[in-house]
Amino acid sequence: MDLLQNNFSTFLQGFGYTLLSSVIALVVSMILGTFFAILQILPQKWVQKVGNIYVQVFRNIPLLIITFFFFLVVAKVIPMNGFTAGTIALSLYTSAFIAETVRAGILSVNSGQMEGARANGLSFWQAMQHIVLPQAFKIALPSLGNQFINLVKNSSILAFVGGLDLMYQGNMVAANTFDTFGTYIIVALFYLVITLPLSYYMQHLERKLKHAA
Amino acid sequence: MEKAKKRQFGIIATIVLAAVIVLGLMWATATAKKNQEHQDTLARVEKLGRIVWGVKADTKLFGLMDTKTGVSKGFDVDIAKALTVQLSKQTGVPMSAEFVPVSSSSKIQLLKNTNIDGTVSTMTITPEREKIIDFTKQYFDAGQSILVKKDSGIKSIKDMNDSKYTIIVVVGTTAAEETKKFAPKAKLLAVQDYATGMQALKAGQGQAMSTDNAILYGFATENPDYQIVGGTFTHGPYGIAFDNDQGPMIRETNKALATLKKNGVYNKLIKKWFSNVPGLDWHELEAK
Amino acid sequence: MSMIEFKNVEKYYGNFHALKNINLEIDEGETVVLIGPSGSGKSTLIRTVNGLEEIQEGQLLVNGFDLHDPKTDINRIRKNVGMVFQHFNLYDNKSTIENIMLAPRLVLKRDEAENKKMAMALLEKVGLADKAANMPSELSGGQKQRVAIARSLAMQPKALLFDEPTSALDPEMIGDVLDVMRDIAKDSSMTMLVVTHEMSFAKAVADRVIFMADGQILEDSSTEAFFNNPTEPRAQQFLSQVEHH
Ligand SMILES: Nc1ncnc2c1ncn2[C@@H]1O[C@H](COP(=O)(O)OP(=O)(O)OP(=O)(O)O)[C@@H](O)[C@H]1O
Ligand SMILES: [Mg+2]
């Protein structure tokens, strides 16, 4: 408990950065993931290929390497700190998984939904936006929830590039107090403060949508 | 399943899960406690006939992992080997030396958990650390310095006391703490190991890397565009560390160290590792 | 003036020749029923009319625009041609009234109050005003199909395509849907192309009957002529099968 009291502001700062990075990465990866999911279902073969390559690249490379790539290589051209580099890497990495999840969601929406909308006069994008995607997200919700929780935990990658997040501050506290065990238990509890409400909220959303239909 | 049965199943599952978690935590605390119970290191190593040394894997000249063999090489490693030989002679118990790579942030925990018996790992003797572990007398004289790009215009740590500068340090080193005192306005970037630190410096994530001069010399040799400036601004000799309250082990090791310094083995190792470092007067490091 | 015109149209699915040299003209306001055995290409033909299927050769003019011309904006044609499917294809994530109001709002930019008024009037017309707030999953098949028809009508199309609108329905639901269709057919300006096996509906409502088999149009004659003395042996055979059913 002393450990927590003495280093509370440090933990809190780390918590703040972890939360900030997670929220940014969540929004960005949802947008990118949805975009690349749609690319992969467009009729043009080469567009599909582009979407597929993006997903394969970012899904199959360890997050740490993507992070170091931005932190050590890209930063030479476009200066960015560890927080930015880590958050970008986290967004791209997660977006590849979200793209796969959303694509599966879109494919499991009955093709009659798109046909009905097109025959009704809607453009492809209007049909996507108003009819197909809302249903796809609903189908994909449970596994999107998993992706979000993984995202929060994966944000600990920031610690490797001085991203000031919870894990980073935990490393510092552990190094200064020499109480590794206690420090990481506190760090774990802070992560739970984010992930538990998140998973509860996702379950709640799932239930709500199930009843709405 | 009917509803009542489902609910019953849910309750049982929850209880079982909670029980598993509670038992797991109890077991973890018990093990942690047991590990903290006092064990006499000297007695243990004599009984097992081996000393497990924690050494660095990422620090040129002191402990750098040879990627082919997976074995660390450097001054620290050689000192540990020489000490093991000397300790065997002193105690009359033949002992072998084993090596485990440790990082700046992990070594104290590994000592506490008795994963390693002792550590020779560029570890600065500090009062805070002395509270929880035991140090021998110093085996290497070092002080903190900074490594910068040759054309950076930075002459010393004082020049860097400005929020526009970022100084790269490694988590768990004394440099991480000390740097704040000498350049309080500068930003700190703490990375996991020296190799990443050097990469980050090259990528422009910071303008200087700070740690002990001895370690920085290793990087300066490898990266001719970078140089050490401003000399040392702290004095922080390295000691060999053991767990707390290891009087017998500390006594024996100090004795062994003194012997090595007297019989020339120590100076031979200094020459072996530091005679080729540009800009370093290695004779100053020799035992007098 | 002709609303829909096929000129030497060929359609392939890969190597499979699904529509063979189709020539067909449907005038504005006409009601045409398309019949034929399973797999003969009825759905394929009707789906080419609003661009759900592409044609490979020939000309297909809808409301004066050539569908085979890459410069033609397919969305503009779809505004004028509605379609009702065998499996309804209602928007599962929208309420009944939203199903009807969505396309006019997005595509025609119809004023919201006006849109709502028209949607309610259409629901009234198909006898489902009390189901405005219900989700599609809460409707019976026949109700769904009537909502689908209302949805098409909301766009105020010049032509309506029906692909077996009653085939997926329980027998007791079929009448309600056919009644609605009969109503629409009375409107003299609406062009209707209907694929159906309901011969009584064809006899009562159609101006013309077209018989297809193996991707070809075998017979194209007035309703009376078709039912009284079909010329094609395959049409005769088909008629005797469905009527003794
Ligand atoms: N997407 C497709 N790809 C390949 N072949 C197809 C496709 N759609 C239809 N076909 C083939 O084209 C032929 C005509 O099919 P179509 O659906 O137009 O028949 P139909 O007359 O509507 O039959 P039904 O009365 O059973 O609905 C069939 O042989 C069918 O197998
Ligand atoms: Mg069909």
Side-chain angles (χ1 to χ4, degrees):
Chain A
M1 273 308 110
D2 273 3
L3 189 64
L4 181 59
Q5 257 161 21
N6 296 340
N7 300 288
F8 193 71
S9 66
T10 310
F11 283 122
L12 208 61
Q13 194 200 11
F15 179 78
Y17 277 107
T18 291
L19 196 62
L20 182 65
S21 173
S22 301
V23 169
I24 294 173
L26 196 150
V27 172
V28 174
S29 63
M30 268 311 282
I31 294 170
L32 283 179
T34 307
F35 175 75
F36 283 101
I38 294 174
L39 280 200
Q40 288 183 83
I41 53 142
L42 288 177
Q44 294 90 335
K45 279 275 166 332
W46 68 271
V47 176
Q48 288 179 6
K49 200 82 211 154
V50 169
N52 189 254
I53 288 172
Y54 175 90
V55 167
Q56 295 307 338
V57 164
F58 285 107
R59 197 172 59 150
N60 292 313
I61 296 178
L63 175 56
L64 185 60
I65 291 176
I66 305 174
T67 306
F68 274 140
F69 177 74
F70 279 94
F71 185 65
L72 298 176
V73 182
V74 178
K76 279 186 188 170
V77 190
I78 313 159
M80 62 175 88
N81 61 24
F83 179 83
T84 312
T87 306
I88 292 175
L90 187 62
S91 304
L92 298 182
Y93 178 79
T94 312
S95 74
F97 289 90
I98 289 186
E100 281 305 273
T101 308
V102 172
R103 188 175 70 99
I106 292 174
L107 291 182
S108 54
V109 173
N110 191 328
S111 63
Q113 295 289 307
M114 177 56 98
E115 274 192 353
R118 298 308 304 277
N120 200 197
L122 269 57
S123 70
F124 176 83
W125 294 106
Q126 286 172 330
M128 263 293 156
Q129 186 193 340
H130 294 276
I131 306 303
V132 178
L133 282 181
Q135 296 183 48
F137 283 137
K138 195 173 130 187
I139 295 168
L141 204 62
S143 72
L144 281 178
N146 283 339
Q147 310 288 1
F148 293 162
I149 286 162
N150 277 337
L151 181 150
V152 174
K153 294 185 293 178
N154 285 342
S155 71
S156 59
I157 200 76
L158 291 184
F160 285 88
V161 289
L164 304 177
D165 69 314
L166 201 44
M167 197 66 192
Y168 178 85
Q169 308 292 9
N171 288 340
M172 300 295 258
V173 171
N176 292 336
T177 62
F178 312 114
D179 185 354
T180 318
F181 195 60
T183 305
Y184 289 118
I185 285 189
I186 293 175
V187 168
L189 290 177
F190 271 104
Y191 275 108
L192 285 179
V193 169
I194 305 178
T195 50
L196 279 186
L198 180 63
S199 47
Y200 180 79
Y201 178 72
M202 293 307 285
Q203 276 173 13
H204 169 77
L205 209 62
E206 239 176 85
R207 243 180 327 218
K208 209 177 93 185
L209 284 177
K210 199 180 251 165
H211 288 302
Chain B
M1 254 189 286
E2 55 192 289
K3 220 172 193 167
K5 260 196 184 156
K6 263 191 205 165
R7 191 170 308 138
Q8 217 176 22
F9 177 79
I11 292 168
I12 292 173
T14 313
I15 291 170
V16 169
L17 213 65
V20 166
I21 290 172
V22 168
L23 286 176
L25 275 178
M26 275 160 67
W27 174 80
T29 351
T31 330
K33 273 231 186 75
K34 201 179 105 206
N35 283 341
Q36 271 160 23
E37 266 168 29
H38 192 264
Q39 284 194 6
D40 189 72
T41 305
L42 185 60
R44 185 175 68 232
V45 297
E46 281 181 351
K47 188 173 147 224
L48 297 175
R50 58 162 169 76
I51 307 180
V52 180
W53 296 101
V55 293
K56 299 298 290 284
D58 66 342
T59 313
K60 204 170 149 51
L61 303 177
F62 289 88
L64 184 68
M65 179 87 80
D66 181 329
T67 45
K68 283 202 202 93
T69 59
V71 178
S72 278
K73 285 181 177 164
F75 180 72
D76 282 349
V77 180
D78 284 352
I79 284 286
K81 279 182 193 158
L83 281 175
T84 310
V85 172
Q86 187 58 36
L87 284 167
S88 303
K89 277 185 204 161
Q90 280 169 209
T91 57
V93 181
M95 287 180 285
S96 60
E98 284 180 19
F99 296 97
V100 169
V102 296
S103 70
S104 297
S105 48
S106 72
K107 52 197 173 190
I108 292 180
Q109 193 68 43
L110 291 173
L111 267 183
K112 290 269 159 208
N113 288 354
T114 68
N115 298 48
I116 55 177
D117 297 311
T119 176
V120 191
S121 52
T122 64
M123 197 166 181
T124 312
I125 304 167
T126 68
E128 296 90 51
R129 286 176 177 165
E130 284 202 88
K131 279 182 209 152
I132 55 164
I133 52 174
D134 279 7
F135 281 105
T136 61
K137 297 216 173 72
Q138 76 167 68
Y139 74 93
F140 188 88
D141 199 8
Q144 200 180 335
S145 198
I146 54 173
L147 181 73
V148 298
K149 203 160 186 197
K150 272 187 178 152
D151 56 15
S152 67
I154 296 166
K155 296 272 183 311
S156 78
I157 183 84
K158 288 193 208 86
D159 294 350
M160 300 198 74
N161 189 19
D162 188 318
S163 61
K164 73 176 178 186
Y165 287 124
T166 300
I167 302 174
I168 299 163
V169 296
V170 168
V171 184
T173 61
T174 45
E177 286 295 290
E178 291 292 323
T179 308
K180 278 185 217 147
K181 294 182 196 154
F182 289 88
K185 287 186 193 151
K187 290 196 202 84
L188 275 192
L189 168 60
V191 294
Q192 295 291 319
D193 55 60
Y194 288 119
T196 309
M198 194 61 216
Q199 290 300 321
L201 181 62
K202 284 184 180 170
Q205 293 291 357
Q207 290 70 43
M209 176 154 86
S210 181
T211 188
D212 293 322
N213 57 345
I215 295 166
L216 292 179
Y217 273 120
F219 285 105
T221 6
E222 295 236 302
N223 303 281
D225 287 350
Y226 291 81
Q227 61 180 357
I228 295 164
V229 293
T232 57
F233 53 90
T234 65
H235 177 69
Y238 296 159
I240 299 152
F242 296 97
D243 198 359
N244 225 357
D245 294 332
Q246 298 298 339
M249 190 71 197
I250 293 290
R251 256 192 314 278
E252 287 299 326
T253 311
N254 275 333
K255 202 169 126 196
L257 189 61
T259 309
L260 295 182
K261 284 190 175 176
K262 241 179 270 157
N263 68 14
V265 171
Y266 182 87
N267 283 357
K268 224 174 70 198
L269 294 180
I270 289 284
K271 184 173 179 214
K272 175 180 171 188
W273 288 103
F274 300 103
S275 62
N276 289 324
V277 177
L280 176 71
D281 182 7
W282 61 277
H283 288 294
E284 274 191 13
L285 299 171
E286 289 184 313
K288 300 286 142 42
Chain C
M1 192 199 135
S2 72
M3 180 69 205
I4 299 166
E5 189 172 357
F6 286 77
K7 288 186 188 164
N8 303 317
V9 167
E10 311 282 350
K11 159 79 190 169
Y12 296 87
Y13 289 115
N15 286 328
F16 181 75
H17 202 170
L19 293 181
K20 297 169 188 161
N21 191 31
I22 301 292
N23 285 288
L24 174 65
E25 214 173 314
I26 299 173
D27 284 341
E28 221 175 301
E30 240 187 324
T31 299
V32 176
V33 164
L34 182 55
I35 60 173
S38 180
S40 57
K42 308 181 294 292
S43 294
T44 304
L45 187 146
I46 206 170
R47 287 161 62 86
T48 60
V49 178
N50 69 351
L52 286 179
E53 299 289 354
E54 269 181 30
I55 61 170
Q56 273 70 46
E57 262 167 65
Q59 253 193 335
L60 173 48
L61 298 170
V62 177
N63 200 20
F65 295 98
D66 184 1
L67 277 189
H68 196 34
D69 182 350
K71 286 194 288 282
T72 305
D73 178 6
I74 186 73
N75 288 326
R76 261 187 63 189
I77 292 170
R78 286 191 180 129
K79 266 200 265 183
N80 293 315
V81 181
M83 179 148 181
V84 175
F85 299 85
Q86 182 175 1
H87 295 287
F88 333 122
N89 294 355
L90 288 183
Y91 308 139
D92 290 337
N93 59 328
K94 303 273 179 201
S95 67
T96 299
I97 187 124
E98 269 300 308
N99 260 277
I100 299 171
M101 288 167 66
L102 186 69
R105 180 190 304 137
L106 294 176
V107 182
L108 306 179
K109 314 270 180 254
R110 187 177 288 161
D111 166 73
E112 192 63 17
E114 166 82 0
N115 195 10
K116 183 140 201 176
K117 214 176 82 193
M118 286 179 71
M120 277 316 292
L122 283 167
L123 276 177
E124 201 85 49
K125 182 172 168 172
V126 299
L128 292 169
D130 57 328
K131 299 286 185 194
N134 288 70
M135 297 302 283
S137 57
E138 297 161 344
L139 302 179
S140 74
Q143 292 171 332
K144 279 184 198 169
Q145 195 60 296
R146 283 182 279 154
V147 173
I149 294 171
R151 179 175 75 176
S152 296
L153 289 174
M155 291 295 283
Q156 297 182 308
K158 295 193 164 144
L160 269 183
L161 310 171
F162 294 84
D163 190 2
E164 304 202 32
T166 56
S167 302
L169 300 180
D170 292 339
E172 68 271 21
M173 309 259 176
I174 293 175
D176 292 341
V177 173
L178 289 181
D179 284 347
V180 171
M181 290 171 63
R182 211 170 273 135
D183 256 14
I184 300 167
K186 274 188 208 138
D187 175 354
S188 59
S189 69
M190 181 68 79
T191 311
M192 281 170 76
L193 179 55
V194 183
V195 176
T196 185
H197 295 295
E198 297 296 327
M199 291 306 137
S200 57
F201 174 81
K203 275 181 198 156
V205 180
D207 300 313
R208 263 160 74 198
V209 175
I210 291 162
F211 177 76
M212 278 185 85
D214 296 332
Q216 285 171 301
I217 293 179
L218 294 187
E219 184 147 358
D220 177 354
S221 42
S222 74
T223 308
E224 251 181 42
F226 182 82
F227 284 108
N228 293 339
N229 45 5
T231 49
E232 270 291 318
R234 293 194 60 178
Q236 291 166 359
Q237 190 193 344
F238 179 80
L239 271 182
S240 65
Q241 272 171 8
V242 290
E243 286 190 330
H244 297 142
H245 201 52

